[in-house]
């Protein structure tokens, strides 16, 4: 990714970005290590790092237990990203759950937060509560981790071509509002608002079951399927930002009332797991609807893999039924490769954080394709420390 052939005549700016990208990927490195990774000369690497004093700091080799050189010289200096230059935030505002992730510019997670509110709220009330928690968090971070460089927010529905919230099924009072009118603007901090499934698809592509796939769908394991679509490496939104919203189709008889949300439908899944015949028959009907929508989506997009997401994606009683029904429906076409999300809880927030971090590097380095990566170890390990207001802060990772 960062290697230049000896015959390349890359611009100084390109080689600066290459050095920054290599260091961001490695975490820490010597001049020699960066030269090996980038294919650049050691003097060029040293000069390029000198152009980034705000992003790169020098650490003496002795601090890392390095031995002196064979001729008795000092250990080679090591360089690392100056994470405390600033931080970015990725958040999801859902029907009852709010999730907030924060990383510094080195990609190290500083905060993993989740807040659950079972009470029904208007969108405006939900945003006000979100802002209050975020204000407290930002105040504590600015003292230790520099400037707030950007925020990504995932919403069910997202923003239309006119810049207004086009479809907000959980919060109809936000529909038609601009992000500023909805209270989502934070001074001059760059803001990215994304459909929650598109954000989750970005996370799945970078850190989940869709790694290595150029074309895939992240589909809700639900009787009314909505999906985030990635085609040839790019999120597909359509002309109205409604691509993948198969749940908007009026598809035959109305579903039973208790299929309306996860909380009311979960007892059916639990009963089916216990072997209740009536519940199993109902789950069959639920899965058949889901499989039909996924089949339509699959033949429209022709993905390499369909990743099942959402709160029921890890319930095998449901996903096995979806897979079996889908296999039957697609027998004239091809077997559909199904996978289960690896980012079930924080997918939309993680995708939003990735968008914010990438945008921040675009501003810092002028490179819209900078390969910014987030250290996923705290999320993968589930190691967190408790905090106030239902907020959980990532523990230190050795």
């Amino acid at each position: 990714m960062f290697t230049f052939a000896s015959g390349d005549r890359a611009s100084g700016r390109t080689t600066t970005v290459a050095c920054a990208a290599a260091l961001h990927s490695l975490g820490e490195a010597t001049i020699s290590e960066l030269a090996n990774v980038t294919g650049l000369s050691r003097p060029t690497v040293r000069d390029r790092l000198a152009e980034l004093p705000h992003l790169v700091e020098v650490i003496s080799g002795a601090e890392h237990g390095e031995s002196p050189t064979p001729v008795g010289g000092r250990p080679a200096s090591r360089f690392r990203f100056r994470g405390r230059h600033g931080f970015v935030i990725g958040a999801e505002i859902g029907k009852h759950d709010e999730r907030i992730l924060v990383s510094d510019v080195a990609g190290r997670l500083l905060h993993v937060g989740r807040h659950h509110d079972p009470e029904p709220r208007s969108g405006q009330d939900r945003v006000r509560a979100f802002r209050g928690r975020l204000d407290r968090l930002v105040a504590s971070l600015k003292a230790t981790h520099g400037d707030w460089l950007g925020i990504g927010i995932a919403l069910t529905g997202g923003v239309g071509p006119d810049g207004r919230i086009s479809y907000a099924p959980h919060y109809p009072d936000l529909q038609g509002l601009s992000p500023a009118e909805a209270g989502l603007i934070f001074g001059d901090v760059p803001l990215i608002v994304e459909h929650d499934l598109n954000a989750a698809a970005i996370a799945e592509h970078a850190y989940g079951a869709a790694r290595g796939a150029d074309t895939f769908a992240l589909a809700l394991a639900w009787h009314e399927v909505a999906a985030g679509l990635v085609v040839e490496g790019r999120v597909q939104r359509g002309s109205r930002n409604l691509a993948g919203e198969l749940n908007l189709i009026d598809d035959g008889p109305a579903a039973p009332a208790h299929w309306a949300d996860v909380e009311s439908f979960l007892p059916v899944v639990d009963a089916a797991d216990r072997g209740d015949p009536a519940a199993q028959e109902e789950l069959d009907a639920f899965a058949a609807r889901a499989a039909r929508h996924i089949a339509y989506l699959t033949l429209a997009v022709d993905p390499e893999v369909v990743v099942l997401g959402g709160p029921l994606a890890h319930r095998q009683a449901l996903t096995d039924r979806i897979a079996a029904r889908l296999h039957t429906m697609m027998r004239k076409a091809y077997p559909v490769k199904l996978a289960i999300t690896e980012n079930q809880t924080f997918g939309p927030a993680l995708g939003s954080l990735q968008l914010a971090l990438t945008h921040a590097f675009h501003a810092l380095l002028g490179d819209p394709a900078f390969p910014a990566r987030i250290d996923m170890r705290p999320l993968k390990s589930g190691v967190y420390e408790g905090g106030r207001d239902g907020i959980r802060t990532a523990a230190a990772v050795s």
Side-chain angles (χ1 to χ4, degrees), residues 257-308:
H258 63 280
W259 289 16
D261 56 59
V262 173
E263 290 77 11
S264 61
F265 185 68
L266 265 177
V268 176
V269 184
D270 292 337
D273 279 341
R274 294 192 299 267
D276 181 277
Q280 291 181 339
E281 184 177 349
E282 184 174 353
L283 196 58
D284 284 341
F286 188 98
R289 285 199 180 203
R292 183 169 66 251
H293 284 184
I294 293 171
Y296 297 155
L297 187 68
T298 298
L299 286 175
V301 178
D302 193 17
E304 299 165 59
V305 61
V306 175
V307 181
L308 297 179

Side-chain angles (χ1 to χ4, degrees), residues 90-154:
E92 176 192 8
I93 303 176
K95 185 177 182 181
H96 293 292
D97 289 286
E98 168 194 299
R99 298 173 179 90
I100 299 175
L101 300 175
V102 184
S103 81
D104 63 18
V105 293
R108 184 171 64 95
L109 281 171
L110 306 175
H111 175 87
V112 178
R114 181 178 181 182
H115 179 82
H116 178 73
D117 182 0
E119 298 298 322
R121 308 284 185 196
S122 70
Q124 297 280 7
D125 286 344
R126 191 73 75 192
V127 169
R128 277 192 289 270
F130 166 74
R131 288 187 66 105
R133 281 183 285 273
L134 201 60
D135 285 344
R136 292 190 291 274
L137 176 60
V138 167
S140 67
L141 287 167
K142 280 187 173 181
T144 55
H145 287 87
D147 294 329
W148 184 8
L149 302 177
I151 181 169
I153 298 177

Side-chain angles (χ1 to χ4, degrees), residues 43-101:
T44 297
V45 171
R46 188 180 300 278
D47 289 346
R48 296 300 175 256
L49 293 183
E51 297 172 4
L52 302 169
H54 56 305
L55 291 178
V56 175
E57 59 184 342
V58 184
I59 310 160
S60 71
E63 292 178 3
H64 290 259
E66 294 186 11
S67 301
T69 64
V71 295
R74 297 175 59 188
S77 295
R78 297 185 69 83
F79 296 78
R80 71 181 175 193
F81 243 77
R82 193 185 299 275
R84 295 193 177 192
H85 174 73
F87 61 91
V88 294
I89 296 174
E92 176 192 8
I93 303 176
K95 185 177 182 181
H96 293 292
D97 289 286
E98 168 194 299
R99 298 173 179 90
I100 299 175
L101 300 175

Side-chain angles (χ1 to χ4, degrees), residues 308-331:
L308 297 179
L312 296 181
H314 288 264
R315 297 302 296 262
Q316 191 171 352
L318 173 60
T319 56
D320 281 355
R321 284 169 166 82
I322 292 174
R325 181 66 174 170
L326 191 58
H327 177 76
T328 299
M329 295 183 70
M330 294 289 291
R331 61 177 176 263

